[in-house]
Amino acid sequence: MNEVRAMTQTERQKTYLKDYTAPTFQIPSTHLAFDFRSENGNDFCRVTSTLKLQRRPGTEGDLWLDGEELVLEDIKLNGAALAASAYVREDKGLKLLNPPSEFTLQTTVKLEPKKNTALEGLYGSGAVALTQCEPQGFRRITYYLDRPDVMSSFEVTIEADKATMPVLLSNGDCVERKDLGGGRHFTKWVDPFKKPCYLFALVAGPLAVLKDTYTTGSGKKVALEIYTNEANIPRCGFAMESLKRAMKWDEERFGLEYDLSTYMIVSTDDFNAGAMENKGLNIFNSRLVLADPKSATDYNYHMIEAVVGHEYFHNWTGNRVTLRDWFHLSLKEGLTVFRDQEFSMDMVSRDLVRIDSVIDLRESQFAEDDGPNAHPIRPESCYAVDNFFTSTIYEKGSEVIRMMQTMVGRPGFRQGMDLYFKRHDGQAVIIEDFAAAISDANKQDWSQFKRWYSQAGTPRVKVTENFQGDTYTLTLEQSCPSTPGQTEKLPFHIPLIVGLVTRDGKDLELTHPSLKKNTEGKTLIHLMEPKQTFEFKGLKEKPLLSLNREFSAPIVLEWNPPVEELFALYKMDNDAFNRFEAGQKLQQLEIAKFIDAAKSKSTAALDPRLIEAQIAILNDARLDNALKKKMVERPSLASLAQSLPGFDSAAWKTGIDAFRRAQGQALATVARDIYTKLHGKSDGVLTPEARGERALKNWALGQLCNAGEGHALAEKQFRETSMMVDQEIAFALLMEAPEAKAREIASNFYDQWNSDSLVMNKWWSLQAQTEAPWTFARVQELLKHPAFNMKNPNSVYALLGRFSDNLIEFHAKGGETYRFFAQELKKIDALNPQVAARLSGAFDFCPRVSPALQAEAKKALDGLLADKLSPNAFEILSNARKALGA
Ligand code: TRP
Ligand code: ZN
């Protein structure tokens, strides 16, 4: 079914944004009849589609319909069998030769969902049949104009055995349900809203349901339903509560109400991505629905709320207003990520969630923007549309929306959103339409700002400060590194929230002719030129610069102030993000010192001021526990790799370990205190406060392990806790114990959890993430474990994905890891190209490793590229290969 045809480089087709043309036909109505059958132990589904097609006036010629991997059994035009001479069938679709300008087309195809390992189109997950159509899976269900600017009214009927498929769902309202006799039954669904086919969904199988209701602000009662297997129903409560919070929040913040009478969520273990916003029938990866405190971490809970919100918010930003074409994917994804981040900020803590979003952005998107697969948030070309679902399109896209909100303020942004829906409800539009709505509503000129959409790469802003007499001079210079296909960049319009802080921690009232406050009282610098200078007069002493507060623009600040100033900001900046940032910079400088020492085989000593500052933060009454933890957290390896040059696995490992030991020993007393005070205090409680307590407590446990005294405590916690958040962290810490102990813990965890596939994902991940000399061997061993399933994306991401993120072990000397990974990638690509493409990003990091390792990476990539690969994996891997040179 998913046979990947060998393709030569020249045969591969690139698609370009500039070649966009409107469709020559529209499909006013789509009727789909699904008939699930089982004959001689062979399961299949027959799909009969009846389409009304209408030519756009003034066009002529043939009609191309997309269709892949379909077995065509019947085709009729206006009710009569279509002559073989009237159409041409090809690999990727079907061409109707000169069809009339208005007609009905009926096709019948036969599908075998159980054999579909790509998890696009109609596929099987255990006894359940379900669909994933975004972006181009619908063409694997029936012949169609599979493009988002073709919007149609859908009517769907489903027929199946009652015993094996008791639940039959599709989009919209269920208008008919009947028994057909002979053990068969039937449902009919009508979606009152026109939609592009990527939002189509169908689910059929044995499922249990959790039901609830929500009453909208205008008094409409909505039925809420979450479907999963019977045993997991008790784990759906948090997702249900999250959904209700999201519905309420969207009404309050954006005046947007739900528009159907039912909202359904289906949870599945087999899913390529996180979740999918199909109209009225979301399909979710089970890790983003199911949770109880015993098996899910606080992070899992957080993600469930965020993603339930995300998919719900798509109902307006994505579904009611959809895309003209996939190059504009960020129109819905950037905006919807922005909306889910704002939702989480309001539900949890604005500062905490903002800091976490920035950490995530820098670790994934900045790395992407700096690597061989960098692309603008509105790309101009691609081999595989599937590859557009990147952190650039999502997370950087969201940052661009956030900058808009920062510039016009929240009330202005709301007015812009209102105008956007007023203008475009029911339409398929482009990014410019959104920018125009916000800027028109606020009478702003964003012609320069819109370069954020077309230029890839993370802008750098270099800061120079000068203080003389009573005048503080701030000079900002912007630049942007070249990215593949874009060597020269034009200046960006960069909105930077700025504060000048006195030595006793007060924000100065800034009076400067070219600085304005936004409607929320925040002072903004609009950096638009390559270089701009700002003077502030009448100051008694040099102020502390707090620039890009809240991370108002997604840039790299090139700024190296004296460390005393960073310490002062770390202790007292009024902007939580910049306090965190000062702490990150300070720790980074220390870690760099330890890495340098490791390189020269010498030793380094920790700056006592860092410990003093961290203790001050831990005692700061202005901060809650979650923020305290965030502010003292060590920068991750991925974020260090952003700011320190090169990468040398051995020296980094030695240096970071030495830093951790020194820091742990210096903080041990405080850490013991925190642990004793907080451990067990809020077991079973899921409020943001309780999560914050656990985060800080587990940070303390980590410090004790760093100090060399925590493993016994970690093991006690591992064995006795009733909460996964505590068990998981203890597991991770114990993986750094000597190998025999680590193995004992891993096998204990396995014995406890092997029947729970969601928790098993943690088991794969935690071992693959471990930085230990035995990790690679262990990963190879786990790959052969009977519980490991190469066809299940979650377990592949958990084991192989997390191993390839493990910079220390994946990019260790030798290159065997690259060869191993390439070999596994090839197997995965043959099963599931979308999953293979996501894993392929692992090679993006290779330009940073030693020349000897780069040579190994080249060999591994050449081997892969010489073979048959899906366009998805080919696109990512060939870019990675190009970046390594001849
Ligand atoms: N639109 C989905 C979201 O962001 C993304 C998605 C779901 C997806 N399933 C996919 C993307 C499969 C690519 C392939 O909410
Ligand atoms: Zn989305």
Side-chain angles (χ1 to χ4, degrees):
M1 174 120 190
N2 303 301
E3 177 61 15
V4 180
R5 209 163 55 88
M7 270 194 256
T8 65
Q9 182 107 8
T10 46
E11 219 189 330
R12 292 176 194 278
Q13 290 271 313
K14 253 193 167 187
T15 318
Y16 294 87
L17 168 60
K18 64 173 168 45
D19 293 343
Y20 173 84
T21 52
T24 54
F25 276 82
Q26 282 292 338
I27 309 180
S29 80
T30 300
H31 182 280
L32 301 171
F34 288 81
D35 186 8
F36 288 92
R37 299 270 164 187
S38 182
E39 281 167 14
N40 316 321
N42 201 8
D43 295 334
F44 61 90
C45 180
R46 202 160 262 131
V47 184
T48 301
S49 104
T50 311
L51 313 177
K52 287 232 177 334
L53 284 127
Q54 221 166 54
R55 189 183 278 285
R56 184 158 52 91
T59 65
E60 51 184 34
D62 304 334
L63 168 62
W64 172 260
L65 295 172
D66 304 295
E68 288 177 21
E69 326 241 352
L70 300 173
V71 178
L72 181 64
E73 293 186 334
D74 189 38
I75 179 163
K76 289 195 182 83
L77 199 145
N78 290 333
L82 193 62
S85 59
Y87 67 102
V88 182
R89 278 183 72 193
E90 290 175 20
D91 221 23
K92 298 197 170 296
L94 181 154
K95 200 191 294 174
L96 291 183
L97 304 173
N98 253 312
S101 59
E102 243 187 272
F103 64 100
T104 301
L105 182 75
Q106 191 174 83
T107 61
T108 300
V109 298
K110 192 177 164 186
L111 308 176
E112 290 181 278
K114 288 204 165 145
K115 296 192 181 152
N116 179 352
T117 59
L119 314 190
E120 299 172 70
L122 181 68
Y123 66 93
S125 171
V128 178
L130 72 165
T131 55
Q132 170 57 36
C133 294
E134 190 183 17
Q136 298 183 327
F138 194 74
R139 61 188 63 186
R140 290 159 183 257
I141 294 175
T142 190
Y143 287 100
Y144 207 75
L145 283 162
D146 188 359
R147 44 187 293 169
D149 56 357
V150 171
M151 298 171 78
S152 186
S153 297
F154 278 72
E155 222 181 75
V156 177
T157 64
I158 314 169
E159 189 188 324
D161 281 350
K162 256 194 325 200
T164 54
M165 292 186 155
V167 174
L168 306 173
L169 311 173
S170 190
N171 318 82
D173 300 312
C174 184
V175 296
E176 198 182 342
R177 203 185 298 269
K178 64 183 177 198
D179 200 307
L180 298 173
R184 307 278 296 165
H185 68 154
F186 168 98
T187 59
K188 179 172 178 181
W189 295 81
V190 175
D191 185 347
F193 295 93
K194 283 197 166 203
K195 64 171 176 287
C197 64
Y198 83 85
L199 290 171
F200 165 79
L202 174 144
V203 177
L207 290 161
V209 59
L210 175 71
K211 292 191 183 187
D212 205 332
T213 60
Y214 174 82
T215 306
T216 67
S218 69
K220 241 184 60 187
K221 201 165 168 185
V222 182
L224 309 179
E225 304 178 347
I226 303 184
Y227 291 85
T228 180
N229 55 334
E230 189 74 52
N232 277 322
I233 289 291
R235 288 175 161 181
C236 295
F238 187 79
M240 185 65 91
E241 294 310 310
S242 302
L243 175 59
K244 289 192 272 184
R245 284 194 288 272
M247 295 176 90
K248 186 146 195 299
W249 182 87
D250 217 13
E251 292 178 7
E252 288 170 356
R253 180 74 178 270
F254 290 110
L256 299 171
E257 267 194 19
Y258 189 57
D259 53 8
L260 288 168
S261 57
T262 313
Y263 194 90
M264 297 173 277
I265 289 177
V266 175
S267 159
T268 176
D269 283 343
D270 297 289
F271 202 68
N272 284 344
M276 181 61 210
E277 71 265 21
N278 318 301
K279 184 82 188 185
L281 178 56
N282 290 180
I283 297 178
F284 269 64
N285 191 316
S286 53
R287 72 184 162 82
L288 294 164
V289 181
L290 308 177
D292 56 32
K294 207 169 158 36
S295 66
T297 63
D298 289 341
Y299 175 73
N300 295 146
Y301 275 98
H302 170 74
M303 288 305 288
I304 289 172
E305 181 166 76
V307 178
V308 167
H310 180 98
E311 305 312 328
Y312 175 73
F313 302 142
H314 266 315
N315 189 54
W316 279 92
T317 51
N319 302 3
R320 287 288 287 256
V321 182
T322 195
L323 311 173
R324 188 193 74 176
D325 61 78
W326 294 111
F327 292 99
H328 290 88
L329 179 61
S330 196
L331 170 74
K332 77 174 172 81
E333 293 305 344
L335 178 54
T336 305
V337 170
F338 169 78
R339 277 152 56 67
D340 86 53
Q341 288 181 356
E342 284 287 309
F343 170 58
S344 292
M345 287 164 86
D346 286 345
M347 293 302 113
V348 181
S349 143
R350 291 199 65 86
D351 289 334
L352 181 72
V353 172
R354 182 62 189 141
I355 293 170
D356 276 331
S357 311
V358 176
I359 292 175
D360 190 42
L361 176 83
R362 290 202 285 217
E363 287 180 1
S364 58
Q365 199 280 324
F366 278 26
E368 184 168 86
D369 234 354
D370 236 4
N373 279 295
H375 53 277
I377 57 182
R378 186 192 48 219
E380 261 136 41
S381 70
C382 71
Y383 284 104
V385 165
D386 293 352
N387 288 345
F388 280 161
F389 295 77
T390 63
S391 62
T392 297
I393 304 294
Y394 277 64
E395 272 76 33
K396 187 176 182 178
S398 161
E399 292 301 317
V400 172
I401 308 276
R402 183 171 297 284
M403 287 191 280
M404 293 180 177
Q405 176 177 265
T406 302
M407 291 192 289
V408 302
R410 282 216 231 175
F413 189 74
R414 167 66 194 270
Q415 283 162 14
M417 287 283 276
D418 291 350
L419 183 60
Y420 177 61
F421 294 115
K422 194 167 148 218
R423 285 182 179 168
H424 301 299
D425 186 13
Q427 298 175 6
V429 303
I430 58 176
I431 276 170
E432 280 79 356
D433 295 317
F434 181 80
I438 310 291
S439 60
D440 290 354
N442 292 278
K443 306 198 169 42
Q444 303 223 348
D445 173 6
W446 282 350
S447 32
Q448 185 175 344
F449 181 78
K450 282 192 280 185
R451 288 180 191 155
W452 284 102
Y453 287 119
S454 54
Q455 299 189 136
T458 306
R460 275 34 179 186
V461 175
K462 188 171 154 220
V463 179
T464 321
E465 297 173 273
N466 189 23
F467 186 72
Q468 235 165 18
D470 70 345
T471 305
Y472 171 72
T473 311
L474 175 63
T475 304
L476 303 177
E477 278 172 89
Q478 63 161 303
S479 61
C480 182
S482 55
T483 47
Q486 290 186 339
T487 41
E488 297 299 322
K489 316 266 173 163
L490 297 167
F492 288 87
H493 175 175
I494 304 176
L496 299 162
I497 300 181
V498 62
L500 295 181
V501 183
T502 64
R503 301 284 156 158
D504 52 0
K506 302 218 168 53
D507 277 6
L508 285 169
E509 198 50 51
L510 295 185
T511 47
H512 189 283
S514 65
L515 301 194
K516 287 180 208 80
K517 285 195 171 149
N518 76 359
T519 53
E520 286 156 49
K522 287 164 186 164
T523 306
L524 275 181
I525 291 178
H526 291 270
L527 179 60
M528 301 179 73
E529 307 296 326
K531 181 172 177 175
Q532 275 169 258
T533 295
F534 304 87
E535 280 190 351
F536 302 88
K537 292 188 192 300
L539 303 178
K540 284 198 233 33
E541 53 174 5
K542 179 179 183 253
L544 300 165
L545 174 65
S546 178
L547 189 61
N548 205 23
R549 283 183 158 178
E550 300 175 17
F551 205 68
S552 60
I555 55 149
V556 173
L557 264 194
E558 293 179 343
W559 177 51
N560 297 302
V563 284
E564 308 78 69
E565 294 188 13
L566 287 176
F567 278 119
L569 289 167
Y570 193 20
K571 282 187 200 161
M572 63 195 185
D573 195 337
N574 295 304
D575 180 65
F577 179 80
N578 270 354
R579 261 186 105 171
F580 160 81
E581 187 73 339
Q584 293 291 294
K585 267 185 184 280
L586 285 163
Q587 294 188 83
Q588 226 169 67
L589 289 168
E590 284 298 294
I591 293 171
K593 205 167 81 186
F594 278 80
I595 293 176
D596 283 343
K599 282 185 186 150
S600 62
K601 310 247 181 298
S602 60
T603 53
L606 196 59
D607 187 336
R609 288 174 299 178
L610 179 64
I611 300 306
E612 184 207 313
Q614 297 200 314
I615 291 176
I617 281 171
L618 294 167
N619 292 321
D620 187 336
R622 286 189 300 168
L623 299 173
D624 62 33
N625 288 323
L627 269 177
K628 284 180 184 172
K629 187 289 171 150
K630 205 40 71 183
M631 301 245 174
V632 296
E633 180 177 283
R634 188 177 64 248
S636 70
L637 202 70
S639 91
L640 289 169
Q642 298 278 308
S643 17
L644 306 179
F647 180 76
D648 169 344
S649 166
W652 282 51
K653 170 86 178 132
T654 310
I656 294 169
D657 281 353
F659 170 82
R660 287 169 55 187
R661 209 172 314 116
Q663 188 189 30
Q665 282 164 358
L667 290 169
T669 311
V670 190
R672 253 177 257 127
D673 256 21
I674 292 174
Y675 190 86
T676 320
K677 217 162 70 204
L678 297 180
H679 180 58
K681 187 165 168 249
S682 48
D683 280 3
V685 185
L686 294 167
T687 56
E689 296 71 39
R691 296 189 216 172
E693 285 173 3
R694 287 190 288 271
L696 186 60
K697 180 276 300 275
N698 283 323
W699 170 86
L701 181 60
Q703 290 304 324
L704 293 173
C705 288
N706 290 341
E709 63 171 78
H711 282 157
L713 202 55
E715 189 167 347
K716 188 169 149 61
Q717 175 168 318
F718 174 84
R719 296 193 190 285
E720 293 174 4
T721 182
S722 61
M723 300 202 73
M724 181 52 75
V725 54
D726 285 349
Q727 194 176 26
E728 185 191 68
I729 187 88
F731 186 148
L733 292 168
L734 289 163
M735 285 302 101
E736 299 192 340
E739 187 176 351
K741 177 52 88 185
R743 279 191 177 260
E744 177 197 328
I745 294 295
S747 95
N748 278 250
F749 191 88
Y750 178 82
D751 292 342
Q752 187 182 350
W753 291 110
N754 65 67
S755 63
D756 188 315
S757 63
L758 277 182
V759 182
M760 280 303 285
N761 292 325
K762 300 184 194 304
W763 194 65
W764 312 116
S765 303
L766 286 161
Q767 297 179 79
Q769 274 165 6
T770 299
E771 288 166 12
W774 47 265
T775 298
F776 178 37
R778 182 63 176 154
V779 168
Q780 289 168 290
E781 195 181 308
L782 289 173
L783 207 53
K784 299 194 191 88
H785 193 286
F788 183 76
N789 176 4
M790 196 73 128
K791 291 184 183 156
N792 175 254
N794 282 356
S795 43
V796 172
Y797 295 139
L799 185 59
L800 294 167
R802 292 300 78 73
F803 178 58
S804 69
D805 294 341
N806 183 344
L807 299 179
I808 295 285
E809 300 307 315
F810 189 69
H811 301 279
K813 59 168 179 272
E816 315 98 286
T817 48
Y818 296 159
R819 282 193 292 282
F820 157 78
F821 198 71
Q823 190 188 313
E824 298 308 317
L825 256 187
K826 202 156 33 176
K827 293 185 212 157
I828 295 163
D829 195 41
L831 294 167
N832 188 327
Q834 288 187 353
V835 171
R838 275 175 200 264
L839 292 182
S840 298
F843 289 99
D844 283 10
F845 189 77
C846 294
R848 312 188 49 126
V849 301
S850 69
L853 261 184
Q854 285 191 33
E856 296 291 344
K858 277 189 222 177
K859 270 191 259 166
L861 285 167
D862 285 337
L864 268 171
L865 291 164
D867 227 316
K868 42 181 185 176
L869 280 179
S870 66
N872 306 47
F874 171 82
E875 179 161 30
I876 309 289
L877 294 168
S878 62
N879 287 338
R881 177 62 189 87
K882 260 182 253 157
L884 293 171

